[in-house]
């Protein structure tokens, strides 16, 4: 059946995208001014060019039938792995992370574009494995997640790597993976982060010795604890095999297995994956004033900017803190701080409403789409946008750790902008090709 072109496009979604992009350009422009009123940056020009090209690409790809992508999903995943491996080996070192590839001043961030390949590949996997048992489906899906996650984490780019997790969890949930498996990943992740930052909590926040934290700082004691927890988990597993009608043994294996795995992964993260400044960022938001001139500076200045905006803001191009360069990465990670300083609570509320519109349109497509491949793609996009919004806004408000995640459509950067636009073109393609007119 033919599909009428203008009925493919979701105009509420397009309105939200255009409005957010325009706001982003305005505040990227504002971020370029210094304290004497001189614009020292042309980032806003680049953003306009990227946005214009991205919008054309978005409209074009919306009209392409997303179902054609399913048969190429394996190729997309192979390309994803090759890109991330090449980036880790031959990428440019920027801000301590080898996460860019390019020539001279021109470059892209492959981990951003790989989110598209990842969503398509994982959606195809869950679609093609409907007849698999839940455990096998979950384990293989988890492996498909761990490969890109690990490759990005060792760049190291903790922020971008973290986005892949909610994409996986949302797609797994919609695919019918049992909640206990999903909670295993959530609990394991939370405990891994908790055990990784506990030594820093003792040193930076509590500022006194805490005997219980000695379990983590003493390698021999940690090893003994891991072995003990693992033994209990194995006993629970054996008990579950023998007494299948008794769920107690299953849950013993479940919880003690998560604890032991979290202790192992936290040690690996602390010693071999995360840099000391990254670990410190995960804890400093609790009390940034313990290091106000270094790791706490970003949060303190961001809070000041948001608070100084009040209800209506100080006015466009009148942001005091941003123009005096107190805000770090103010055109990228902390763009919401500038917006709040100049447009106040009202400006922030508009951004909230536009993001809510995007998320609600994604949920509507998930609810109404009958094609499983399309449903899974949109659920991954939903997880990506939700995570970017919660983490970035929470970060600049000082209620989430600083992880370097941009606010999609608002933050400066072509890679993240084009990725967001392409992902929403997939959403509109799923919507449009589900409704065959």
């Amino acid at each position: 059946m033919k599909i009428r072109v203008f009925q493919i496009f979701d105009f509420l979604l397009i309105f939200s995208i255009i409005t957010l992009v325009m706001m982003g350009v305005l505040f990227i422009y504002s971020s370029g001014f210094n304290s004497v009123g001189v614009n020292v940056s042309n980032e806003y020009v680049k953003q306009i060019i990227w946005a214009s090209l991205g919008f054309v690409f978005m409209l074009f790809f919306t009209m392409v039938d997303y179902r054609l992508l399913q048969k190429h999903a394996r190729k997309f995943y192979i390309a994803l792995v090759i890109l991330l491996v090449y980036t880790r080996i031959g990428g440019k070192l920027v801000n301590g992370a080898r996460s860019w590839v390019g020539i001279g001043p021109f470059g892209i961030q492959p981990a951003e574009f790989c989110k598209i390949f990842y969503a398509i590949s994982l959606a195809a996997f869950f679609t093609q494995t409907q007849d698999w048992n839940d455990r096998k489906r979950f384990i293989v899906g988890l492996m498909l997640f761990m490969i890109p996650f690990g490759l990005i984490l060792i760049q190291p780019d903790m922020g971008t790597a973290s986005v892949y997790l909610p994409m996986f969890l949302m797609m797994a949930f919609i695919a019918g993976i049992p909640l206990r498996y999903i909670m295993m990943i959530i609990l394991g992740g939370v405990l891994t982060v908790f055990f990784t930052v506990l030594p820093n909590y003792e040193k930076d926040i509590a500022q006194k010795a805490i005997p219980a934290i000695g379990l983590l700082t003493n390698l021999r004691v940690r090893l003994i604890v891991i072995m003990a927890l693992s033994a209990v988990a194995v006993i629970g597993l054996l008990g579950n095999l023998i007494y299948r009608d008794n769920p107690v043994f299953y849950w013993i294996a479940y919880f003690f297995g998560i604890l032991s795995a979290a202790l192992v992964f936290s040690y690996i993260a602390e010693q071999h994956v995360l840099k000391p400044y990254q670990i410190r960022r995960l804890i400093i938001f609790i009390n940034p004033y313990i290091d106000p001139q270094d790791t706490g500076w970003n949060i303190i200045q961001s809070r000041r900017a948001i608070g100084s905006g009040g209800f209506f803001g100080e006015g466009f191009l009148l942001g005091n803190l941003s123009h005096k360069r107190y805000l770090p990465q103010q055109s990228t990670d902390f763009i919401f701080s500038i917006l709040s300083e100049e447009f106040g609570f009202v400006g922030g509320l508009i951004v909230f409403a536009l993001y809510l519109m995007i998320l609600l349109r994604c949920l509507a497509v998930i609810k109404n789409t009958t094609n499983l491949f399309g449903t899974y793609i949109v659920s991954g996009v939903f997880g990506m946008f939700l995570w970017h919004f919660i983490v970035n806004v929470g970060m600049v408000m000082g209620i989430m750790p600083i992880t370097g995640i941009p606010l999609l459509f608002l933050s400066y950067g072509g890679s993240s902008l084009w990725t967001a636009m392409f992902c929403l073109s997939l959403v509109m393609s799923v919507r449009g090709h589900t409704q065959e007119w």
Side-chain angles (χ1 to χ4, degrees):
M1 290 184 176
K2 291 184 178 180
I3 302 175
R4 296 177 185 174
V5 172
F6 289 103
Q7 289 175 323
I8 295 178
F9 300 110
D10 186 332
F11 290 101
L12 284 175
L13 196 56
I14 292 174
F15 170 78
S16 300
I17 295 168
I18 292 175
T19 307
L20 284 170
V21 169
M22 289 175 63
M23 293 178 72
V25 170
L26 286 176
F27 290 103
I28 291 169
Y29 175 72
S30 177
S31 73
F33 281 85
N34 60 21
S35 58
V36 295
V38 177
N39 193 329
V40 295
S41 172
N42 67 344
E43 287 181 341
Y44 73 96
V45 177
K46 297 178 183 178
Q47 191 76 355
I48 291 172
I49 295 172
W50 290 330
S52 301
L53 291 173
F55 189 73
V56 173
F57 294 148
M58 182 183 72
L59 297 182
F60 172 77
F61 285 114
T62 296
M63 293 185 287
V64 175
D65 191 337
Y66 73 97
R67 290 170 290 194
L68 299 174
L69 301 173
Q70 185 172 349
K71 62 182 179 181
H72 301 293
R74 186 170 296 181
K75 298 174 186 176
F76 286 133
Y77 193 81
I78 293 171
L80 174 156
V81 174
I82 292 173
L83 272 172
L84 293 178
V85 170
Y86 173 75
T87 303
R88 181 63 185 89
I89 296 172
K92 295 192 295 184
L93 192 65
V94 179
N95 294 327
R98 199 172 295 278
S99 56
W100 292 84
V101 296
I103 300 174
F106 302 100
I108 64 168
Q109 194 173 3
E112 287 290 341
F113 293 109
C114 283
K115 294 173 188 174
I116 303 166
F117 297 162
Y118 175 69
I120 295 170
S121 304
L122 200 58
F125 166 76
F126 281 128
T127 302
Q128 296 163 3
T129 56
Q130 294 293 313
D131 56 341
W132 289 18
N133 66 64
D134 291 334
R135 183 177 299 174
K136 179 182 177 182
R137 203 168 175 225
F138 171 73
I139 291 173
V140 177
L142 183 61
M143 291 173 62
L144 293 175
F145 153 71
M146 288 299 296
I147 292 172
F149 177 80
L151 288 172
I152 298 170
L153 199 60
I154 61 174
Q155 289 180 357
D157 188 349
M158 181 172 58
T160 304
S162 70
V163 180
Y164 285 67
L165 180 58
M167 293 177 69
F168 168 72
L169 294 176
M170 188 66 189
M171 295 170 80
F173 176 75
I174 297 297
I177 298 298
L179 192 58
R180 65 182 183 276
Y181 292 152
I182 295 173
M183 288 305 300
M184 182 190 302
I185 302 301
I186 295 175
L187 288 173
V190 170
L191 287 173
T192 297
V193 173
F194 178 72
F195 291 143
T196 301
V197 302
L198 263 187
N200 274 76
Y201 177 85
E202 178 186 56
K203 180 176 64 176
D204 296 330
I205 306 299
Q207 297 183 344
K208 63 179 181 180
I210 300 176
I213 296 180
L215 298 175
L216 300 176
T217 55
N218 187 308
L219 181 59
R220 180 176 296 180
V221 175
R222 182 196 286 242
L223 184 60
I224 292 172
V225 172
I226 291 172
M227 292 176 63
L229 292 172
S230 300
V232 175
V234 170
I235 292 171
L237 186 61
L238 293 174
N240 183 61
L241 293 174
I242 298 171
Y243 304 102
R244 291 186 176 274
D245 295 333
N246 191 339
V248 173
F249 290 103
Y250 174 86
W251 292 111
I252 289 174
Y254 182 89
F255 286 110
F256 281 89
I258 290 174
L259 280 171
S260 57
L263 282 170
V264 171
F265 286 128
S266 65
Y267 177 77
I268 295 173
E270 182 182 352
Q271 299 296 324
H272 304 290
V273 178
L274 299 180
K275 304 293 184 183
Y277 76 89
Q278 291 177 309
I279 297 175
R280 192 173 176 84
R281 280 180 177 180
L282 291 173
I283 196 71
I284 202 71
F285 76 99
I286 295 176
N287 183 9
Y289 290 95
I290 61 172
D291 190 11
Q293 297 301 318
D294 192 5
T295 50
W297 174 268
N298 296 356
I299 297 176
I300 293 171
Q301 302 308 321
S302 179
R303 284 177 176 176
R304 288 180 62 197
I306 293 172
S308 65
F311 195 80
F312 292 108
E314 296 181 357
F316 184 57
L317 300 181
L318 298 177
N320 182 47
L321 292 174
S322 61
H323 293 172
K324 288 183 177 179
R325 302 293 167 181
Y326 286 131
L327 286 173
Q329 306 293 330
Q330 55 188 28
S331 65
T332 54
D333 299 346
F334 288 84
I335 193 73
F336 188 80
S337 304
I338 298 179
L339 184 149
S340 297
E341 184 181 26
E342 298 188 2
F343 275 15
F345 175 78
V346 173
L349 197 61
I350 292 172
V351 172
F352 274 61
L354 292 169
Y355 257 88
L356 179 61
M357 178 63 70
I358 290 173
L359 295 173
L360 289 176
R361 299 310 292 169
C362 288
L363 288 176
V365 175
I366 293 171
K367 179 181 177 181
N368 296 320
T369 301
T370 55
N371 182 284
L372 289 177
F373 178 59
T375 300
Y376 299 150
I377 286 178
V378 180
S379 62
V381 173
F382 176 87
M384 182 188 83
F385 271 88
L386 181 63
W387 184 254
H388 268 274
F389 179 74
I390 290 176
V391 173
N392 181 274
V393 174
M395 174 183 76
V396 300
M397 293 174 65
I399 58 176
M400 293 283 284
I402 294 177
T403 54
I405 292 181
L407 187 56
L408 298 176
F409 296 127
L410 286 168
S411 295
Y412 169 75
S415 295
S416 62
L417 179 63
W418 282 12
T419 298
M421 285 184 163
F422 188 88
C423 283
L424 290 185
S425 77
L426 286 174
V427 172
M428 288 191 285
S429 179
V430 172
R431 174 186 177 271
H433 291 90
T434 296
Q435 301 174 21
E436 298 187 344
W437 306 89

